[in-house]
Amino acid sequence: MQWDSVLPACLLKAEPLSSKGRTVSGSACGFQLLFFIPVKISDRYKRAYAELFADAGPGYHVTDIYVSERRMYGVVGTRYCADLKATAYPQLKFV
């Protein structure tokens, strides 16, 4: 019988999180051609979110997500970019 499944969580010792967090980021852009034709505009947050989790890697939890957006104006349209920054922590391992 495994005693880990019987013991309450308060009796198990977990690794501390404070020193193991690292900063991860993701970014994705789209373009509005002539202010009427959107190119990769609608899913830029979804792509940035996927890049953020890919940067974190497997076995990590992502917290404290900071979202920002930037625009760059050009002659034939506007470029919109979504930037995400977060803190990635390893999954808890009970010892």
Side-chain angles (χ1 to χ4, degrees):
M1 180 173 177
Q2 293 267 344
W3 288 104
D4 290 344
S5 61
V6 178
L7 293 175
C10 62
L11 297 178
L12 297 174
K13 182 181 174 187
E15 296 178 9
L17 292 176
S18 61
S19 63
K20 297 190 180 194
R22 62 183 175 93
T23 303
V24 294
S25 63
S27 179
C29 296
F31 191 75
Q32 186 89 20
L33 183 64
L34 299 174
F35 301 105
F36 295 110
I37 303 167
V39 179
K40 292 190 174 183
I41 289 283
S42 301
D43 66 340
R44 68 184 185 273
Y45 282 99
K46 183 178 179 180
R47 290 184 285 126
Y49 195 72
E51 186 178 317
L52 178 79
F53 274 89
D55 190 20
Y60 282 85
H61 293 291
V62 175
T63 62
D64 304 327
I65 299 175
Y66 175 76
V67 180
S68 65
E69 183 172 287
R70 53 192 161 96
R71 297 178 186 146
M72 290 163 267
Y73 299 101
V75 176
V76 294
T78 306
R79 182 179 182 191
Y80 295 92
C81 294
D83 300 317
L84 305 177
K85 290 183 183 178
T87 305
Y89 292 100
Q91 291 180 352
L92 289 177
K93 297 177 184 175
F94 293 103
V95 291

